[in-house]
Amino acid sequence: MKPDQTLNYSRMKAHFLALVQIDSVSKKEREVALFLKKDFEAIGASVSFDQAGEAVGGEIGNLIARFPGNDAERPTLLLSAHMDTVVPGEGIKPVCEGDVIRSDGTTILGGDDKSGIAIIIEVLRTLKEKSLPHGDIEIVFTICEEFGLVGAKHLDMTQLKAKSGIVLDCDHADFLFTQSPASDRMEFTVHGLEAHAGVCPEAGISAIQIAAHAISRMSLGRIDFETTANIGVIEGGAAVNIVPKIVFVRAESRSHNEAKLEKQTAHMRRCFSEAAEQFCIEKNGKKIKGRVEEKVWRDYNRMNLSSDVPIVQAVLKAAKTCGYNVKTNATGGGCDANIFNAHKISVPNLGTGMYQIHTVNEWLDFKETSQTADVVLEVVTSFGSETN
Ligand SMILES: [Zn+2]
């Protein structure tokens, strides 16, 4: 007979509510990290923090916990979520309405990603209390996921033994995300020439006009079913009566297809360089043109896990065993899973029931959170066993 694997959902809910009331906006994760350290130590897991906090200018590093297994034959498994939240994320007051948990409307809820953390801790507590079979488990709770995945980017992957795992950082509990796009980041500094806007505008070159010219010729938004692009930030100009000499623009492109990503990024760069060429004046017999400085870099690589990968199979099978219908899916968002997969640790991203994230309307469907907890526990107790 299969052992009892029922989780303590009310304990998980109480833990979640406690977690969201500990402020942890990016770079300020120390308090929640120390709270979680106690949770881990109470169940016999060892905890350490890496140097990522120093590298990114935050309060504390990534939390790495090790929960020893009771079956040495099984492979090590990684479970991961992130500790930081977006803003406004201070003074969160959760409101429960049955299975729906929301904020009081003045802040985010922080279900992104404390729902993932609550699930992982409850799974470990249940393993321990019910002496369920499992291999070694490595837990990574990252910092600064919302700040460009920089916690995961600074994680020393050589510390991890696991070759498979699960990230819990997505919306729908019926979806296991196995594909997400690669992303390029771009920063453009557009240089014009300052002049009095009323007295001698012809002696100036408007950096704002160059940027506007470039952006108006740019394909942005949804480019096709697997490619997107966005100008996210634009700042510039000094006063209404000065022809502006400088404008900063920050942009991104994403695609599930590497060739399309390259093409889109090249297109955006070209729009800026061509626009700068078009704005030109003559001064003392010399031609002066607008100019663009650019910084372009790969933010993260794509995640593209095949359905045949053992951990993907294990999650789908576990969901079925628990009576749920979980399907693989693709997302347009990037998360820590992109970083783990780039380091050859196969890690799909399972939804936790968090919705309208990054807004003050964020809410959590606790029924879905419980579903994912069931699935994760089933994966942990079955992954690498002979019957799996
Ligand atoms: Zn998240």
Side-chain angles (χ1 to χ4, degrees):
M1 207 185 88
K2 215 171 149 61
D4 171 28
Q5 288 194 183
T6 318
L7 292 137
N8 188 336
Y9 305 111
S10 57
R11 177 174 61 187
M12 179 165 77
K13 192 186 234 177
H15 189 229
F16 172 76
L17 295 174
L19 285 171
V20 297
Q21 290 176 76
I22 304 172
D23 298 345
S24 65
V25 296
S26 302
K27 296 191 182 179
K28 293 186 178 170
E29 303 92 344
R30 185 181 162 83
E31 195 183 341
V32 79
L34 296 180
F35 179 90
L36 289 164
K37 180 173 186 269
K38 283 194 195 138
D39 287 341
F40 279 118
E41 285 168 352
I43 51 170
S46 63
V47 174
S48 63
F49 293 95
D50 72 4
Q51 305 300 311
E54 283 159 39
V56 306
E59 287 180 349
I60 198 157
N62 297 305
L63 183 158
I64 302 165
R66 293 174 200 284
F67 187 66
N70 49 24
D71 180 352
E73 300 292 304
R74 299 180 185 217
T76 304
L77 205 58
L78 170 70
L79 298 177
S80 182
H82 63 86
M83 296 188 285
D84 65 315
T85 73
V86 293
V87 290
E90 282 165 325
I92 294 170
K93 292 178 198 70
V95 177
C96 297
E97 296 158 359
D99 281 322
V100 171
I101 306 174
R102 47 177 97 248
S103 74
D104 66 358
T106 63
T107 65
I108 54 144
L109 174 64
D112 176 12
D113 191 21
K114 284 167 179 164
S115 56
I117 292 179
I119 289 168
I120 291 170
I121 298 283
E122 183 53 38
V123 163
L124 299 180
R125 285 174 170 165
T126 305
L127 288 172
K128 168 105 177 164
E129 280 169 4
K130 307 206 169 188
S131 304
L132 299 171
H134 63 93
D136 288 344
I137 301 172
E138 291 173 330
I139 304 96
V140 174
F141 288 160
T142 58
I143 57 167
C144 291
E145 193 272 349
E146 304 288 8
F147 199 73
L149 318 179
V150 293
K153 285 176 183 172
H154 284 91
L155 178 68
D156 178 6
M157 298 282 174
T158 62
Q159 288 199 40
L160 301 180
K161 278 203 215 92
K163 291 287 163 240
S164 305
I166 306 172
V167 162
L168 300 171
D169 189 16
C170 230
D171 47 12
H172 209 298
D174 281 344
F175 288 141
L176 180 67
F177 291 93
T178 53
Q179 290 174 310
S180 80
S183 178
D184 286 339
R185 283 287 193 94
M186 289 156 262
E187 279 176 15
F188 301 98
T189 308
V190 181
H191 298 272
L193 195 63
E194 218 169 14
H196 192 292
V199 177
C200 53
E202 47 282 284
I205 299 174
S206 167
I208 288 179
Q209 239 184 323
I210 297 174
H213 188 90
I215 294 166
S216 67
R217 280 155 181 78
M218 214 174 270
S219 308
L220 292 170
R222 172 146 315 274
I223 308 301
D224 65 26
F225 72 101
E226 54 188 356
T227 311
T228 58
N230 188 45
I231 300 280
V233 176
I234 179 160
E235 289 166 343
V240 75
N241 58 356
I242 303 172
V243 176
K245 71 167 180 183
I246 199 158
V247 167
F248 300 100
V249 181
R250 286 161 62 196
E252 63 155 41
S253 55
R254 303 182 187 206
S255 184
H256 290 274
N257 179 311
E258 197 62 49
K260 286 181 180 175
L261 179 61
E262 207 176 296
K263 192 171 157 213
Q264 177 63 25
T265 301
H267 160 70
M268 293 166 79
R269 296 169 66 185
R270 201 168 49 245
C271 285
F272 274 103
S273 60
E274 287 177 359
E277 284 284 317
Q278 307 222 348
F279 288 80
C280 176
I281 59 159
E282 252 191 57
K283 207 172 189 179
N284 307 327
K286 254 177 65 184
K287 268 199 165 166
I288 302 176
K289 283 183 192 164
R291 186 167 61 83
V292 178
E293 271 176 276
E294 56 167 36
K295 243 169 75 186
V296 180
W297 69 97
R298 174 57 56 95
D299 195 20
Y300 49 82
N301 286 314
R302 69 195 267 252
M303 161 163 92
N304 184 27
L305 279 173
S306 140
S307 303
D308 305 335
V309 169
I311 187 64
V312 174
Q313 285 294 318
V315 175
L316 299 179
K317 189 177 164 198
K320 215 180 223 173
T321 304
C322 298
Y324 304 122
N325 183 21
V326 173
K327 300 163 286 296
T328 58
N329 203 346
T331 169
C335 76
D336 287 344
N338 290 60
I339 309 298
F340 289 120
N341 284 288
H343 285 85
K344 304 216 167 355
I345 308 175
S346 299
V347 180
N349 183 6
L350 184 59
T352 67
M354 54 165 110
Y355 293 99
Q356 287 183 264
I357 60 167
H358 297 197
T359 76
V360 295
N361 300 317
E362 183 190 353
W363 61 284
L364 185 73
D365 181 341
F366 194 74
K367 239 203 259 148
E368 290 193 34
T369 312
S370 304
Q371 166 177 327
T372 291
D374 291 343
V375 173
V376 173
L377 181 63
E378 177 61 27
V379 171
V380 170
T381 55
S382 62
F383 190 67
S385 72
E386 285 159 65
T387 51
N388 187 41

